């Protein structure tokens, strides 16, 4: 553990908000009372450069003013030494060493100024950080689907999805710090071609440990979530039954009116049932094109298209190339 503290302290700096205002020109999106609230929609690294990766780590600045803000991604804040106070719209949350704060998209919050000697790690998780299968793993291995639902979200959360956060109160004996140390080491000390995959898998291990902790000890997890979403279950159903499902059959399976189901999917993903179905079919077809030598017409039938011409049209519309071109380019790479 001493090694990761040495690593992270090297990236710990004071940030001058007035200088950030002058150089980066953030503009208040809304106001909370009289205080401006900013959109932080780009992952920034410790040098304040844009980080394009779906998982990004940074060290919380010390002795620095942080304004009210919200993200379009999930963020984890973990005090590794000392403590940290976070203010939301409704309350102030005190985090002790080892606590893990997970905040959902479009949740207004700010950090109180931390002090020299405090050390907190931030982990930003974009919607593309995990697959449906990863999140299904969390659902199957946890007593609650809450964490998986929190990690899978539409980029533009609706009004009733705002203000979502959870605090996990952890102990050294829970084994979480070992996993966090591996993540930090991979991100800051190695960062080769395998690091992104290792970090992703280690985060899944971390989430599984959190779910185990919350199932054993009810007080270990404090959440302001009022209800659980069916979204992940619906998307996983499409992922599993894409070749032959209809909106009516899916609605019957979940006990939903087809019109309600269609509206729900559009509201929470920004895409219609048909578009979600096409995306899944094309993704599956791309896998077959990449890893098999099966004829394209046979692949079209396999993923649910009886008309090969229609399959060609949809495939090119989504991926920008024909199935044959995709296969050729993939194999050349």
């Amino acid at each position: 553990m001493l090694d990761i503290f040495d690593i992270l302290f090297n990236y710990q700096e004071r940030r001058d908000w007035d200088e950030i205002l002058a150089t980066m020109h953030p503009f208040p999106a809304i106001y909370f009372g009289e205080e401006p609230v900013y959109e932080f929609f780009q992952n920034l690294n410790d040098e304040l450069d844009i980080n394009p990766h779906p998982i990004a780590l940074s060290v919380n600045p010390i002795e620095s003013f942080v304004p009210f803000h919200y993200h379009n991604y999930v963020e984890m804040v973990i005090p590794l030494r000392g403590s940290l106070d976070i203010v939301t719209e409704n309350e102030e949350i005190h985090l002790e060493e080892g606590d893990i704060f997970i905040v959902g998209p479009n949740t207004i919050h700010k950090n109180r100024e931390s002090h020299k000697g405090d050390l907190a790690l931030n982990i930003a998780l974009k919607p593309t950080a995990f697959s449906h299968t990863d999140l299904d793993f969390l659902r199957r291995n946890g007593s609650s689907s809450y964490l998986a639902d929190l990690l899978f979200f539409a980029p533009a959360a609706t009004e009733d999805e705002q203000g979502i956060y959870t605090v996990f109160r952890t102990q050294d004996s829970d084994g979480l710090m070992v996993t966090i140390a591996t993540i930090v080491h991979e991100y800051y000390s190695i960062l080769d071609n395998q690091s992104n995959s290792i970090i992703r898998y280690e985060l899944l291990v971390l989430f599984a440990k959190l779910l185990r902790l919350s199932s054993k000890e009810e007080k270990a997890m404090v959440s302001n979530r009022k209800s659980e979403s069916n979204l992940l279950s619906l998307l996983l159903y499409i992922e599993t039954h894409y070749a032959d499902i209809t909106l009516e059959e899916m609605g019957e399976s979940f006990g939903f009116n087809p019109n309600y189901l269609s509206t729900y999917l559009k509201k929470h993903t920004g895409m219609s049932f048909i578009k979600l179905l096409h995306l899944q079919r094309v993704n599956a077809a791309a896998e077959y094109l990449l890893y098999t030598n099966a004829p394209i017409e046979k692949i079209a039938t396999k993923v649910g298209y009886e008309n090969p011409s229609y399959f060609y049209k949809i495939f090119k519309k989504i991926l920008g190339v024909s199935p044959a071109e995709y296969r050729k380019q993939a194999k050349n790479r």
Side-chain angles (χ1 to χ4, degrees):
M1 287 296 295
L2 188 60
D3 179 47
I4 73 159
F5 290 142
D6 291 341
I7 292 170
L8 294 177
F9 274 125
N10 288 332
Y11 290 91
Q12 192 179 55
E13 294 183 23
R14 181 182 177 276
R15 302 293 185 194
D16 188 328
W17 177 247
D18 290 333
E19 183 178 330
I20 292 173
L21 281 174
T23 56
M24 304 185 73
H25 308 293
F27 189 80
I30 55 175
Y31 281 82
F32 177 47
E34 296 183 355
E35 290 196 57
V37 180
Y38 296 88
E39 290 181 344
F40 288 179
F41 279 14
Q42 297 283 0
N43 290 340
L44 300 181
N45 60 22
D46 295 293
E47 285 74 37
L48 297 185
D49 295 323
I50 293 175
N51 189 326
H53 298 294
I55 299 172
L57 275 62
S58 62
V59 180
N60 196 62
I62 57 167
E63 301 175 339
S64 304
F65 170 76
V66 178
F68 274 117
H69 62 281
Y70 58 90
H71 320 114
N72 59 349
Y73 51 85
V74 169
E75 182 183 42
M76 302 173 64
V77 182
I78 310 169
L80 299 174
R81 275 193 180 171
S83 61
L84 181 67
D85 293 314
I86 295 180
V87 183
T88 70
E89 291 179 88
N90 302 312
E91 62 181 314
E92 183 162 333
I93 301 165
H94 180 71
L95 302 177
E96 290 288 350
E97 188 173 301
D99 289 344
I100 298 180
F101 176 75
I102 304 180
V103 59
N106 290 351
T107 298
I108 296 173
H109 64 288
K110 68 176 181 179
N111 300 354
R112 293 286 192 200
E113 186 173 312
S114 59
H115 306 289
K116 194 171 183 179
D118 293 334
L119 177 66
L121 176 68
N122 301 327
I123 304 178
L125 306 170
K126 292 183 180 178
T128 53
F130 303 102
S131 69
H132 297 169
T133 305
D134 292 335
L135 301 177
D136 186 40
F137 160 78
L138 293 180
R139 277 178 166 260
R140 293 177 186 276
N141 287 276
S143 60
S144 168
S145 65
Y146 169 73
L147 184 57
D149 287 341
L150 174 60
L151 293 170
F152 190 91
F153 54 89
T158 54
E159 191 69 26
D160 60 337
E161 292 173 316
Q162 297 181 14
I164 299 171
Y165 54 87
T166 298
V167 180
F168 289 90
R169 308 291 186 184
T170 76
Q171 306 292 329
D172 288 343
S173 58
D174 297 325
L176 296 164
M177 288 302 114
V178 175
T179 306
I180 292 170
T182 301
I183 293 169
V184 170
H185 183 67
E186 282 291 334
Y187 191 88
Y188 284 101
S189 298
I190 300 179
L191 204 60
D192 59 17
N193 292 335
Q194 303 302 320
S195 290
N196 287 334
S197 295
I198 292 172
I199 290 169
R200 174 171 149 261
Y201 288 128
E202 289 293 338
L203 280 169
L204 287 172
V205 170
L206 178 67
F207 298 143
K209 287 181 178 180
L210 290 175
L211 289 172
R212 180 176 64 184
L213 175 64
S214 63
S215 66
K216 286 183 176 180
E217 187 178 347
E218 187 176 340
K219 292 181 180 179
M221 184 179 89
V222 180
S223 171
N224 75 327
R225 182 71 177 265
K226 296 178 181 177
S227 63
E228 292 189 345
S229 166
N230 289 308
L231 180 60
L232 182 63
S233 296
L234 295 171
L235 294 172
L236 287 169
Y237 189 87
I238 294 174
E239 187 174 277
T240 305
H241 301 88
Y242 62 85
D244 54 9
I245 62 168
T246 66
L247 183 62
E248 290 72 21
E249 290 169 349
M250 186 172 171
E252 185 176 346
S253 295
F254 284 88
F256 290 151
N257 176 281
N259 290 333
Y260 171 81
L261 177 58
S262 178
T263 302
Y264 182 91
L265 288 170
K266 179 72 174 178
K267 175 183 177 181
H268 289 270
T269 69
M271 291 180 280
S272 67
F273 167 77
I274 292 298
K275 183 162 186 180
L276 288 167
L277 189 59
H278 284 319
L279 283 172
Q280 184 55 43
R281 287 177 172 179
V282 167
N283 284 337
E287 292 285 309
Y288 284 124
L289 289 166
L290 182 59
Y291 294 112
T292 77
N293 292 316
I296 293 174
E297 289 75 14
K298 187 173 181 179
I299 291 174
T301 304
K302 179 77 174 175
V303 300
Y305 294 103
E306 295 181 4
N307 185 337
S309 298
Y310 185 56
F311 166 68
Y312 274 79
K313 178 182 176 182
I314 295 297
F315 191 98
K316 188 167 185 176
K317 182 177 180 180
I318 292 175
L319 294 184
V321 294
S322 71
E325 290 170 331
Y326 179 87
R327 174 176 269 172
K328 181 178 179 182
Q329 291 175 8
K331 288 189 175 180
N332 287 339
R333 286 197 298 271

